[in-house]
Amino acid sequence: MLDHTLIVAVSHFGRHHSGARIPAVLIGGASGRLQTGRYVQLPQSVDNALLLTSVAHLMGHPISGFGDLPDCGPLPELVA
């Protein structure tokens, strides 16, 4: 059931518009686009826009960026 699903759970604790100290959990295989069974820890300087851009890519929407970072691209650790 989760092979074709992507569930994103993000805590609201952390700094506004920054990925610092904001835990996120991605559940499911996103139709084979997301490698499962991993723990990925990113530097605290990573902006939240990269995660949201990556989620769009995993859902089949290859956008160039998100929000204040329109050309940030996805996180290479998440999107192959």
Side-chain angles (χ1 to χ4, degrees):
M1 176 176 92
L2 291 176
D3 289 342
H4 301 285
T5 302
L6 178 63
I7 299 171
V8 181
V10 182
S11 173
H12 66 279
F13 295 108
R15 295 188 198 119
H16 184 62
H17 292 287
S18 169
R21 298 179 43 215
I22 298 179
V25 177
L26 304 180
I27 302 167
S31 297
R33 294 183 186 106
L34 180 63
Q35 181 184 354
T36 60
R38 300 181 301 154
Y39 173 81
V40 178
Q41 185 170 358
L42 302 171
Q44 287 193 7
S45 61
V46 171
D47 193 274
N48 196 32
L50 278 81
L51 173 64
L52 298 175
T53 302
S54 300
V55 168
H57 278 243
L58 291 169
M59 294 171 53
H61 301 286
I63 61 175
S64 59
F66 192 88
D68 291 338
L69 299 175
D71 297 318
C72 64
L75 291 164
E77 295 88 350
L78 295 182
V79 179

